[in-house]
Amino acid sequence: MSDTSTQTDQAKAAPPPTPAARCPRAWVFLLALTAALLVFDLATKWAAFRFIADDPVHLDRTAALAYVQNAPHLLHQLIPPHDPIVVIPSILEFKLVLNPGAVFGSGAGKRWFFISFTIAVLLFTLFVFARWTTPRDRAAHAAIALIISGGIGNLYDRIVYACVRDFLHPLPSVPLPFGIRWPNGSPELWPWVSNVADAYLIVGIAILMLWMWRAPQPTKPGKPDP
């Protein structure tokens, strides 16, 4: 029997890898990283609404909910006028924004839809962790922790404040080339304000998609030799 045949027989005889759901260490890694990331997201939101404006901004949930349900385009009135804090000119600034929708401000006013959608995504990512990954897939587990913590961070805001607290504005005042404007009329290259949870979601989804693309596919049973 050739070496190739021997390796093939050994691969067929090898037991399937243990799913992460059966590994306590994998659960500890996922939950600990998720908790740390979530605490950091909520802490940055608190600090932003405490220190960026001249005075601390205390959100009234009843007023915010009324705006979200009836006039989401007026939600900005709950934020006092303030000058942004420039961290790095043309690279990053901090300014307070209330987002009644999802990432990039889409779907304003559809609060319960986003709450339900977020819960569904969280359940799906837990399913991916439990059934599709093994204890060695730490990159995938880190990506799932980013997605879960980002989802919970913004879900917390939607439940507690009826909207999402944003404060990160990348590439402020950098114009689009050739005088192009976005459909909303903005000439800025990146007019959207986001938060740390949004960054978690973007990075986590990107890493998880890359992992799923590169992960080996299950080997199909070959045909029996004649």
Side-chain angles (χ1 to χ4, degrees):
M1 182 179 294
S2 65
D3 292 340
T4 303
S5 300
T6 302
Q7 293 175 357
T8 302
D9 293 340
Q10 290 176 350
K12 291 180 179 179
T18 303
R22 298 181 182 179
C23 179
R25 288 185 179 181
W27 279 108
V28 170
F29 176 81
L30 176 71
L31 296 177
L33 183 57
T34 298
L37 292 169
L38 177 60
V39 168
F40 182 72
D41 170 60
L42 296 179
T44 57
K45 289 173 180 174
W46 173 86
F49 278 70
R50 173 66 177 81
F51 297 111
I52 290 178
D54 295 335
D55 297 312
V57 178
H58 302 286
L59 294 179
D60 184 339
R61 184 182 184 278
T62 302
L65 184 59
Y67 277 117
V68 169
Q69 293 177 339
N70 302 309
H73 62 286
L74 298 178
L75 187 62
H76 66 274
Q77 294 182 357
L78 295 179
I79 301 292
H82 63 282
D83 295 326
I85 296 177
V86 178
V87 181
I88 305 175
S90 300
I91 299 297
L92 178 66
E93 70 178 14
F94 295 158
K95 68 177 183 180
L96 303 182
V97 170
L98 296 178
N99 182 2
V103 178
F104 307 144
S106 60
K110 299 180 180 180
R111 175 170 167 264
W112 281 108
F113 169 79
F114 290 117
I115 290 176
S116 302
F117 179 77
T118 300
I119 293 174
V121 170
L122 296 178
L123 292 175
F124 175 73
T125 53
L126 285 174
F127 173 82
V128 171
F129 167 79
R131 300 293 298 274
W132 292 2
T133 70
T134 69
R136 295 183 178 182
D137 294 322
R138 286 298 175 89
H141 299 166
I144 291 170
L146 285 165
I147 295 172
I148 293 176
S149 58
I152 293 177
N154 284 341
L155 179 64
Y156 172 87
D157 276 20
R158 289 193 177 98
I159 293 175
V160 175
Y161 301 108
C163 57
V164 177
R165 298 168 292 172
D166 290 336
F167 64 94
L168 298 175
H169 186 199
L171 306 177
S173 303
V174 176
L176 285 165
F178 312 114
I180 301 173
R181 291 176 176 267
W182 290 102
N184 62 2
S186 175
E188 287 188 321
L189 180 63
W190 193 265
W192 302 284
V193 181
S194 57
N195 57 43
V196 173
D198 293 333
Y200 289 167
L201 291 169
I202 293 172
V203 174
I205 291 172
I207 295 175
L208 189 60
M209 290 180 66
L210 180 62
W211 174 83
M212 295 178 71
W213 176 63
R214 298 186 61 182
Q217 299 299 319
T219 303
K220 295 181 180 180
K223 296 181 180 180
D225 295 331

